Amino acid sequence: MTKDLVIGLDSSTQSTKAIAWTAKGEPVAEGRASIPLSQPQPGWVEQDIEDWWSAACSALRQLAGELDMSRVAALAISNQRETVAFVDANGNAVRPAVVWLDERARHEVELLCEEIGQDTLHGVSGKPVDIIPVIYKLSWFRRNQPDIMDRTARFADVHCFLSGRLTGNWTSSWTSADPFGVLDIQSMTWSGNFLNHLGIHTGQLGTLARPGTLVGKITPEASVQTGLPAGLPLIAAGGDGQCAGLGVNAAREGVVYLNLGTALVSGAWAPDPMISLNWRTMTSPTGNGYFLEGCQRAGAFLLNWFVDTFAGGRDDPSVFSKLEAKAAQIPIGSEGVTVCPYLTGCMDPHWDTGARASFNGLSPNHGLGHLYRAVLEAMTLESARAISSMKESGLKIEKIVAVGGGGNSALWTRMFADSTGLPVHISRSLEASSLGAAMSAAYGAGWFQTLDEAAAEMSEESAPVMPDPGVFQAWRNLSDRQFASYRPEYRNV
């Protein structure tokens, strides 16, 4: 039988999706399973690594029930980033995995800056000093629970863990290792300086693999548990953010990838590891060049919080369409209302986990529509600022490709076009991370000569929303007023 399908296994924060794709990027069948989160203490967020495995097995078995698995040429994994498992020599958990949302290492950020140096931490890893990279979590354990560090045989990202269970090879792709904050992004090796500081060695981390290369083959034991054919090639893919960028064919010059999801991410490809507080410098999902990411941690979470708290909640399926209709009738600037959108802290450009949101300029003449529009405008302007800083640093940017639930909002996509002066396309695929992993699998299976070719052939986007040059100045004026309304320490980069 012809092997005409590849699988993108997307193990994200709260669910796993196994989707089979054709060489044209068309989804054929899928399986899904949820992954629970636990919060044993305020600010702590953990998961059982066995839930990662059981969700992957369940999703893959569902998929196997929908199609003939002998048609599958290869599999690749997209994974939640900045999450770490503590695994013993037998592959079992020493303790629960610590999820990227975890905040126990808040004080550790300052301590590591004093011990290693802020410029060194940022320059080697490409990550501005922030609570999210795994290096700070591991430093917290070394300082507070050293027995956990000493009992751990392997510190594994999700890609590494699932690769180990599926093939016996504990492999981290460059893009799944990179978010740990201990990878030297120029040499693509684990940083000996950082590992020495943590008191661990390279043998306790995943074997590093370039995206698109062979990790191993599905073992007979994993075949029984997952329904995958024994011997099926597993190809390196990696971090879900980079996989999504590849999935919308944005890992190339001239394109900004915009993920309008729980976190709002704007990413652009760069040939060199450009370092700035205006973005995180990530490794590219193609293995060539880098991916600059501006990130708003709250993103759509801020919208959901606003609706649940002030607008009656999301139980009403029409609540967003009603608010959008009201907001669309209000001019740019929300008639004086501005919002600082740092509900769960600020990543770029201030990197302050203690930052908080505010609504400013309220009067009796304002209603829910004004507040909703002001929230959209605030998030739009934060992303526009990140994109503008990338352009000012020399990147050529010609268009935006959006993905995620927010892409369904005609008002919001119009805002992005008008505020940046760039055309906005919407990705046809709602599962860009799985598709990006599938592109890696397709390349690894030999279907395409390069990952860039795979991305071009397997992606599709809508006709553009073109910017209106007549309102660009209004957005410039709003931007000035918006940032002037922030607390003084957040007004300037």
Side-chain angles (χ1 to χ4, degrees):
M1 178 172 286
T2 302
K3 293 188 180 298
D4 60 345
L5 300 174
V6 288
I7 295 173
L9 181 68
D10 179 19
S11 181
S12 61
T13 307
Q14 297 189 71
S15 67
T16 297
K17 290 156 278 189
I19 305 176
W21 302 87
T22 70
K24 292 294 185 182
E26 299 160 333
V28 173
E30 68 175 54
R32 294 176 181 253
S34 62
I35 304 174
L37 288 166
S38 66
Q39 294 181 274
Q41 295 186 35
W44 292 25
V45 186
E46 300 180 345
Q47 286 178 326
D48 185 340
I49 62 174
E50 296 303 326
D51 289 332
W52 296 349
W53 178 241
S54 62
C57 290
S58 177
L60 288 165
R61 286 196 303 269
Q62 289 177 43
L63 183 64
E66 296 292 326
L67 54 83
D68 183 348
M69 293 296 256
S70 67
R71 296 172 60 189
V72 178
L75 163 77
I77 298 167
S78 163
N79 61 278
Q80 60 163 308
R81 302 182 293 183
E82 292 108 358
T83 292
V84 58
F86 301 76
V87 183
D88 66 18
N90 296 316
N92 300 314
V94 172
R95 71 169 319 282
V98 178
V99 179
W100 64 274
L101 294 163
D102 191 280
E103 296 186 348
R104 77 187 69 195
R106 183 182 294 268
H107 184 52
E108 205 64 37
V109 175
E110 179 182 343
L111 293 175
L112 269 190
C113 280
E114 294 174 354
E115 294 168 355
I116 296 179
Q118 180 172 329
D119 291 343
T120 300
L121 287 163
H122 188 182
V124 171
S125 72
K127 314 298 173 288
V129 172
D130 180 54
I131 195 173
I132 294 181
V134 170
I135 185 173
Y136 304 101
K137 300 175 178 67
L138 295 182
S139 183
W140 185 93
F141 277 97
R142 176 58 70 195
R143 213 178 301 269
N144 294 278
Q145 295 182 7
D147 61 309
I148 296 293
M149 298 291 286
D150 294 338
R151 287 164 50 203
T152 299
R154 193 179 305 275
F155 302 94
D157 59 74
V158 179
H159 187 285
C160 179
F161 171 77
L162 292 177
S163 297
R165 287 287 175 94
L166 288 168
T167 71
N169 297 330
W170 293 74
T171 302
S172 298
S173 79
W174 289 354
T175 62
S176 72
D178 169 32
F180 265 39
V182 294
L183 185 77
D184 184 324
I185 62 169
Q186 297 202 53
S187 65
M188 297 301 177
T189 59
W190 299 113
S191 167
N193 179 25
F194 293 173
L195 297 189
N196 289 339
H197 195 87
L198 295 170
I200 62 178
H201 57 83
T202 55
Q204 292 175 277
L205 295 162
T207 301
L208 293 169
R210 184 187 183 96
T213 59
L214 179 68
V215 169
K217 296 186 177 182
I218 303 304
T219 65
E221 296 79 10
S223 174
V224 171
Q225 296 182 71
T226 62
L228 293 168
L232 181 73
L234 174 65
I235 306 300
D240 53 9
Q242 289 111 311
C243 280
L246 182 63
V248 300
N249 194 21
R252 58 194 174 101
E253 185 181 53
V255 183
V256 167
Y257 149 71
L258 186 66
N259 187 347
L260 302 175
T262 302
L264 201 162
V265 179
S266 51
W269 182 86
D272 302 306
M274 300 164 62
I275 302 296
S276 170
L277 292 176
N278 290 301
W279 56 72
R280 304 188 297 177
T281 308
M282 315 295 289
T283 52
S284 168
T286 64
N288 298 318
Y290 297 84
F291 214 52
L292 312 183
E293 282 190 358
C295 188
Q296 296 178 57
R297 190 170 178 179
F301 178 81
L302 173 59
L303 280 179
N304 292 337
W305 168 83
F306 174 80
V307 168
D308 291 342
T309 306
F310 300 109
R314 286 170 285 165
D315 290 340
D316 177 1
S318 65
V319 64
F320 284 103
S321 60
K322 291 176 181 175
L323 286 168
E324 181 155 326
K326 292 179 180 178
Q329 301 303 311
I330 299 168
I332 296 168
S334 301
E335 297 184 331
V337 181
T338 60
V339 173
C340 176
Y342 305 155
L343 187 69
T344 55
C346 176
M347 293 180 69
D348 65 277
H350 305 297
W351 305 98
D352 183 358
T353 56
R356 288 297 177 259
S358 63
F359 287 76
N360 309 294
L362 295 175
S363 78
N365 297 322
H366 296 130
L368 281 176
H370 293 86
L371 274 63
Y372 183 77
R373 181 182 179 98
V375 169
L376 291 178
E377 290 178 340
M379 290 192 290
T380 300
L381 288 171
E382 288 284 342
S383 291
R385 173 165 63 176
I387 293 169
S388 177
S389 67
M390 293 174 191
K391 292 175 68 175
E392 290 169 1
S393 295
L395 289 191
K396 179 182 178 182
I397 297 177
E398 298 172 339
K399 70 175 185 178
I400 295 171
V401 180
V403 68
N408 295 319
S409 168
L411 176 61
W412 206 4
T413 52
R414 164 57 56 195
M415 287 181 175
F416 278 108
D418 290 345
S419 64
T420 61
L422 296 168
V424 177
H425 301 253
I426 308 300
S427 170
R428 296 292 190 193
S429 174
L430 298 177
E431 300 293 348
S433 293
S434 172
L435 178 54
M439 291 169 178
S440 293
Y443 166 69
W447 290 5
F448 302 101
Q449 294 298 309
T450 65
L451 269 168
D452 290 316
E453 182 186 343
E457 290 295 322
M458 296 177 71
S459 63
E460 187 179 0
E461 60 196 37
S462 70
V465 176
M466 298 302 295
D468 179 355
V471 300
F472 185 70
Q473 188 58 49
W475 278 98
R476 290 283 299 273
N477 295 339
L478 174 58
S479 178
D480 292 341
R481 184 161 56 84
Q482 165 90 14
F483 298 132
S485 72
Y486 288 5
R487 287 170 53 184
E489 59 266 39
Y490 305 136
R491 289 176 185 170
N492 298 302
V493 178

